[in-house]
Amino acid sequence: MTEHTDPTDGQAVVFITGAARRIGAEIARTFHQAGYRVVIHCHRSRTDADALALQLNEIRAGSTSVVSADLTDEHALSGLGDAVLSCHQRLDVLVNNASSFYPTPLPSLTQVQWLDLMNSNARAGLFLAQQLAPALSTTAGSIINLTDINVSRGMAEFSAYTMAKAALGAMTRSLARELAPRVRVNAVSPGAILWPEHTQASAAQDAEQAGIISGIPLGRLGTPADIARTVLFLARDATYITGQNIRVDGGRALG
C-alpha cells in the first residue's frame, strides 16, 4: 500500500482548478515552493497560466504543467481527469478552487446563471473527485475544496452562489466518509481576502468595504497567502483531519 509521498522528493503532484490568477495562483506558488509538482488549470486565463508555469519551471524544470478546460462544459469536464494524470502520471492533491462569482438578484435570476454558478462551484468539483479518486487513493492523497464563510451567513442578491458553495460543503462531508480511509477531504472557507474583480470604485463602495473591515476582529483583510498556507497544511500536514471546514476569515464569522 503506497503512502503519501513527501513533497520534498519532487514526486508529489497537486492539481489546482482556477490557478492562473489571484488565490489559485498563490496556492500554486505555495505548493511549488513546498516541493510539489503543479498542474495549473485555467479556462479564459491561458496567458496568465502559461506565464505562471514558465515562472515555476524556471525555478524547477519540468515541475509545472497547464491544462485548459471550461468546467461548465460537460464534455470538457469529462476528459479533464485524464489530461491531469497524463502530466505526471500520478496525483496527490486535488484543490477545487475555480469559482464563478457574481450577484444574482432574485427578480432577475436566470436558469443560465444558476447553471453556471452550480456547475463551476459544485458540479465540477464532484466529477473531478470521481475521475481522480482512484489516483488519489493510490497515493493516500487528499481533496481540498474552497468554499465561503457566507454559506452560513447568507448574502443578499447572491443566493445562487451561496447555494452552490453550500453544495460544495455538503460534498466535502459526504466524500470524506465515502473516500476514507485512503483519501482525506476537507474545505477552506475564505473570508474577506481580495475584493471581487467586478467591484467599481466609488464612495459608496469604499464605505461598504470599510464596514466589512470594521466587522473583522483582526481588523484587516486576509491575503491569498493565508488561504494557500491553510490549503497546504490540510494537504501535507493534517494527516488525521478529514471532513472539516477551516474558516480563514480573521474572526469575521464570529458575528
Side-chain angles (χ1 to χ4, degrees):
M1 186 176 289
T2 302
E3 293 304 324
H4 183 70
T5 299
D6 180 352
T8 59
D9 69 3
Q11 297 301 310
V13 179
V14 59
F15 170 49
I16 308 154
T17 64
R21 304 171 59 246
R22 292 169 65 87
I23 289 174
E26 186 64 24
I27 294 172
R29 293 187 191 98
T30 298
F31 272 80
H32 188 268
Q33 186 175 25
Y36 284 79
R37 290 180 291 178
V38 178
V39 181
I40 295 168
H41 159 265
C42 66
H43 177 209
R44 298 185 181 92
S45 301
R46 184 64 191 242
T47 299
D48 292 320
D50 286 341
L52 177 58
L54 178 62
Q55 178 187 57
L56 298 181
N57 281 323
E58 287 177 344
I59 296 170
R60 199 166 68 247
S63 61
T64 306
S65 306
V66 176
V67 294
S68 180
D70 178 357
L71 297 182
T72 68
D73 182 279
E74 183 178 354
H75 177 73
L77 180 60
S78 67
L80 186 54
D82 287 340
V84 170
L85 294 176
S86 71
C87 294
H88 301 289
Q89 290 70 56
R90 67 174 286 152
L91 187 66
D92 298 77
V93 186
L94 164 61
V95 181
N96 286 310
N97 167 73
S99 172
S100 294
F101 175 79
Y102 48 83
T104 53
L106 187 60
S108 58
L109 174 64
T110 67
Q111 293 280 350
V112 171
Q113 291 172 327
W114 161 258
L115 288 172
D116 175 58
L117 288 162
M118 185 59 68
N119 287 343
S120 63
N121 285 289
R123 186 185 74 165
L126 177 63
F127 285 98
L128 283 172
Q130 179 190 59
Q131 294 170 36
L132 296 170
L136 291 167
S137 180
T138 298
T139 59
S142 69
I143 299 170
I144 298 103
N145 300 313
L146 273 290
T147 59
D148 193 306
I149 64 163
N150 290 301
V151 165
S152 59
R153 295 161 54 90
M155 293 177 71
E157 300 189 344
F158 284 83
S159 293
Y161 166 79
T162 54
M163 290 173 72
K165 286 297 191 186
L168 188 62
M171 184 194 89
T172 299
R173 296 185 293 273
S174 294
L175 289 187
R177 292 181 178 273
E178 184 170 350
L179 299 180
R182 294 297 297 165
V183 179
R184 294 178 299 107
V185 186
N186 291 291
V188 174
S189 290
I193 305 297
L194 296 170
W195 300 125
E197 290 184 296
H198 64 255
T199 299
Q200 299 295 320
S202 67
Q205 188 64 57
D206 290 345
E208 180 179 350
Q209 292 175 357
I212 290 171
I213 292 174
S214 70
I216 299 172
L218 293 187
R220 60 177 175 83
L221 290 181
T223 69
D226 292 321
I227 304 303
R229 286 192 294 262
T230 306
V231 174
L232 178 63
F233 163 73
L234 287 171
R236 184 185 63 183
D237 304 318
T239 57
Y240 199 56
I241 297 177
T242 196
Q244 301 303 308
N245 174 46
I246 299 180
R247 292 172 172 168
V248 184
D249 67 351
R252 187 180 176 203
L254 292 173

